[in-house]
Amino acid sequence: MWAIAQMELKKNIHDKGIWFWTFILPILFIIVFVAVFSGQEGVEYAETVTQIIPGYTVMFTFFIMISILITFIKDRERGMVARIASTPISVSSYFLGKWIPFMIIVLLQIAVLFLFGVLVYDLPLGDPTALIVMSLFQAFLATSWGLAMAVLVKTENMGIALTQIIALGGALLGGLWMPIEIMPDIMQTICKFIPQYWGLEGYKEIILHDGGVLDIWQPLAILLVGGAIGVLIAITGYQRYLRLAKS
Amino acid sequence: MIEVAQLSKSYGKIQALTNIEFTIDKGTCFGLVGPNGAGKSTLMKILAGILQQFEGDIVVDRFSVAKEKQAVKQLIGYIPQELCLEETLTARDNLLLFGRLYGISGRTLNNRIDNVLEKIGLTERSKDTVLNFSGGMKRRLNIGCALLHEPAIVIMDEPTVGIDPQSRKSIFSIIEQLRADGSTIIYSSHYMEEVEQLCDRIGLIDKGILLENGTMNGLMEKYGTPSLYVSGDTIEAEHLHPYQIAPKGDGYLVRDANPLATLEKLLVRFRELDLQPRRLELYYPKLEDIFFQLTGTKLRDN
């Protein structure tokens, strides 16, 4: 497992694309949208910052799905997965080895974006323990969905398209782009079924209301269930993924 | 020793393997040949422990592939046709990965990597990124990754596809070295002359059925009735009437139950007709001829 994790981490460090999607693009989005919305009449600066930074952080964590599925599809197409399956490593170790580096990257991404918020926009952080726990669960959800997508999709393009739908559609419906209170009633009901909404709710509870781990049990539970479903799909789809693998 | 017993595998309605049975003795180089889609890769994938769900079993040194997959995997080094390498990493990093996947670590792993690098002729390039390697170097590294755990059995699926003659020669010498070390090799290739040259025994598979399994000499005895090969600028098909002929190269193969007698008759005929054959000789069929004889020449695009 650690052999795969170490190799995956090394590969990702060399991959400039992942740096762009994970750190540069989200920071650019935050700068632009904070500038646009903080200039509007009747909108408080603090309100803008506490909506946009955690909201965009949650949204961009899902972009890791692209990197995960590209890695898995490359492994499948190059026969790497079949070759690894010929070694004594178990399915769970293979998934864990692939998954851990992406968890690290997403946690690093959340840390960098929040740090950027603190340094540039005076973003309050709240309880650090709750923030770390919330980030772990958020990273678990995004990466496990990435694993599920990676074993299910046939082509890279199909995966990227679905990721955009999940990341952008989820952001829109989950209220990551604008406060849920200003959305129509029907949207306010729909968003309760979107995990992204619960991601943002958790962060808001910590940042705005100084909530602790116990105060965010509901978002944590929903993210955990969502993540577990992703893992389950990934494990179930592994045999099919293996069948499609070249060797 | 490898014992394949009543092995069958289907993909939905497609029967990939049907009741395959054969044994391979320790230290043998076993050539597996067959057209595309014949079932070679499926057979090798089952043996390598990649494919689950199949009927029958393969026993490798007392261990059952169906029941003791992990033990079997430690005995096998699988070299797939695809280049399964991490191209953005160095040759050493790639070897490190596969060594660790087989549970080797520390000084032992470093020593094994050095040995394998020497065996595959990449010691000088061990710290270079694989992306900058030639096709032949990548093929050699692809082989090296399967040798770190010093497997008793090495499965090679088309290891010489798309490489230059120098790299092919180098791969042959790796195989010879493995044989000298006592490894059992299962070698699949579409290059029949390679299989003839390297393998002690040959299994010919088509449509999931093992059509033949034996030594090259055994196959020759069974299928290898010699023919006559005739070529010459002025020699046409009509000059070879009434014999059964088939065009080959710039001449013809003349098939007859008694080729030596036919050779004498043709010599007389050519002299009478004042024809000058460039080549008139006994032609012993090669593995490729036996292959076509058993599988036909129709394209296998599906």
Side-chain angles (χ1 to χ4, degrees):
Chain A
M1 177 186 88
W2 293 112
I4 291 183
Q6 202 179 339
M7 175 205 64
E8 203 60 48
L9 203 59
K10 254 188 189 176
K11 266 166 53 188
N12 282 312
I13 289 168
H14 290 131
D15 180 9
K16 291 187 181 90
I18 205 166
W19 293 97
F20 176 77
W21 286 105
T22 311
F23 301 107
I24 299 167
L25 193 66
I27 287 174
L28 287 175
F29 262 68
I30 289 171
I31 293 169
V32 169
F33 282 87
V34 168
V36 169
F37 285 106
S38 60
Q40 285 187 356
E41 207 173 306
V43 179
E44 281 185 36
Y45 176 76
E47 199 183 320
T48 308
V49 167
T50 52
Q51 167 71 28
I52 286 178
I53 296 173
Y56 280 49
T57 300
V58 169
M59 180 178 85
F60 275 100
T61 57
F62 285 91
F63 279 83
I64 200 70
M65 289 169 71
I66 295 176
S67 301
I68 295 175
L69 73 91
I70 287 174
T71 294
F72 272 81
I73 288 174
K74 267 188 187 165
D75 273 8
R76 193 183 71 191
E77 296 301 312
R78 283 178 317 174
M80 186 60 118
V81 63
R83 185 166 202 168
I84 287 175
S86 77
T87 71
I89 193 170
S90 65
V91 177
S92 54
S93 297
Y94 172 70
F95 272 119
L96 278 172
K98 284 275 172 192
W99 174 61
I100 288 169
F102 291 109
M103 271 292 282
I104 293 171
I105 291 167
V106 174
L107 289 171
L108 201 62
Q109 177 189 37
I110 295 171
V112 167
L113 297 184
F114 274 85
L115 188 68
F116 179 76
V118 171
L119 296 176
V120 180
Y121 300 110
D122 286 330
L123 178 78
L125 285 183
D127 177 20
T129 311
L131 201 63
I132 289 168
V133 173
M134 184 66 208
S135 301
L136 277 168
F137 279 63
Q138 178 59 39
F140 173 63
L141 175 78
T143 51
S144 71
W145 281 20
L147 290 180
M149 179 87 78
V151 298
L152 289 182
V153 294
K154 280 191 175 169
T155 65
E156 209 172 287
N157 283 341
M158 188 179 165
I160 291 171
L162 286 171
T163 302
Q164 308 280 14
I165 292 169
I166 289 171
L168 301 177
L172 178 69
L173 296 174
L176 303 186
W177 287 347
M178 62 198 81
I180 201 74
E181 297 77 25
I182 64 167
M183 289 162 82
D185 287 348
I186 179 78
M187 295 296 282
Q188 292 193 31
T189 309
I190 290 172
C191 73
K192 302 279 193 322
F193 296 95
I194 309 292
Q196 280 94 326
Y197 164 80
W198 294 101
L200 180 60
E201 279 304 295
Y203 280 122
K204 275 185 168 175
E205 180 64 29
I206 300 163
I207 291 167
L208 294 176
H209 309 295
D210 213 19
V213 176
L214 291 177
D215 300 310
I216 54 166
W217 72 269
Q218 199 179 3
L220 291 180
I222 288 166
L223 298 189
L224 184 67
V225 169
I229 290 169
V231 171
L232 207 64
I233 292 171
I235 291 170
T236 314
Y238 180 71
Q239 281 306 324
R240 178 182 168 274
Y241 170 75
L242 197 56
R243 273 201 304 278
L244 292 173
K246 283 187 182 173
S247 61
Chain B
M1 184 163 166
I2 301 167
E3 287 178 79
V4 181
Q6 295 186 319
L7 187 71
S8 296
K9 166 81 187 168
S10 59
Y11 298 105
K13 287 178 183 169
I14 300 165
Q15 193 67 33
L17 295 175
T18 309
N19 266 332
I20 302 280
E21 287 202 312
F22 64 92
T23 57
I24 303 172
D25 290 331
K26 194 179 173 207
T28 304
C29 184
F30 184 83
L32 195 57
V33 293
N36 285 337
K40 305 185 296 292
S41 290
T42 299
L43 179 57
M44 286 190 287
K45 278 192 200 175
I46 292 173
L47 181 54
I50 297 168
L51 289 179
Q52 321 260 337
Q53 293 158 354
F54 51 85
E55 287 167 42
D57 201 359
I58 303 177
V59 177
V60 182
D61 278 0
R62 317 187 307 278
F63 299 110
S64 150
V65 172
K67 294 174 195 151
E68 296 150 295
K69 199 166 279 175
Q70 292 305 97
V72 173
K73 283 178 175 182
Q74 282 290 358
L75 295 171
I76 288 176
Y78 173 64
I79 301 158
Q81 187 183 340
E82 301 288 326
L83 293 166
C84 303
L85 303 166
E86 289 300 343
E87 298 218 326
T88 53
L89 303 181
T90 66
R92 196 173 190 90
D93 281 339
N94 274 277
L95 292 169
L96 205 62
L97 166 71
F98 281 97
R100 290 177 69 188
L101 290 178
Y102 281 97
I104 316 161
S105 59
R107 194 179 289 172
T108 311
L109 180 55
N110 279 324
N111 290 340
R112 296 250 183 115
I113 289 175
D114 290 339
N115 289 341
V116 164
L117 281 167
E118 201 182 322
K119 210 177 263 186
I120 60 176
L122 289 175
T123 305
E124 304 294 315
R125 304 293 300 271
S126 67
K127 288 176 183 167
D128 290 357
T129 308
V130 176
L131 209 59
N132 301 320
F133 281 10
S134 69
M137 289 161 79
K138 286 179 188 173
R139 283 264 159 226
R140 271 142 54 203
L141 182 59
N142 204 35
I143 293 173
C145 290
L147 305 181
L148 288 154
H149 60 297
E150 298 176 344
I153 298 153
V154 181
I155 301 174
M156 300 179 145
D157 193 358
E158 307 263 356
T160 56
V161 168
I163 56 168
D164 60 28
Q166 282 81 1
S167 290
R168 176 170 289 136
K169 196 166 180 290
S170 162
I171 289 174
F172 283 8
S173 59
I174 295 169
I175 294 169
E176 290 301 336
Q177 206 176 329
L178 285 169
R179 295 198 60 185
D181 295 343
S183 299
T184 305
I185 296 166
I186 298 175
Y187 189 91
S188 162
S189 177
H190 282 130
Y191 302 123
M192 301 291 163
E193 70 281 10
E194 284 185 4
V195 178
E196 264 191 84
Q197 185 186 333
L198 293 167
C199 302
D200 313 307
R201 290 187 74 84
I202 294 159
L204 211 151
I205 190 169
D206 191 22
K207 295 173 184 164
I209 297 165
L210 189 69
L211 300 175
E212 273 304 336
N213 168 30
T215 60
M216 190 60 208
N217 285 341
L219 291 176
M220 285 286 288
E221 268 177 35
K222 195 167 178 185
Y223 299 97
T225 316
S227 318
L228 279 179
Y229 181 73
V230 185
S231 74
D233 294 339
T234 52
I235 293 171
E236 303 292 340
E238 65 207 51
H239 300 131
L240 303 169
H241 186 76
Y243 300 107
Q244 191 194 341
I245 60 166
K248 185 168 180 70
D250 58 354
Y252 300 93
L253 276 182
V254 180
R255 294 204 177 95
D256 191 74
N258 192 344
L260 275 176
T262 310
L263 184 120
E264 282 175 17
K265 286 177 193 169
L266 283 177
L267 268 175
V268 172
R269 182 184 291 185
F270 291 159
R271 214 172 286 140
E272 284 170 3
L273 296 170
D274 198 22
L275 296 171
Q276 196 66 47
R278 191 164 52 246
R279 284 171 69 186
L280 177 57
E281 61 197 18
L282 279 175
Y283 174 84
Y284 288 90
K286 296 184 170 66
L287 179 60
E288 187 172 70
D289 300 300
I290 299 170
F291 177 84
F292 284 133
Q293 201 177 324
L294 291 171
T295 64
T297 52
K298 201 175 162 194
L299 283 172
R300 304 291 180 89
D301 292 336
N302 298 315

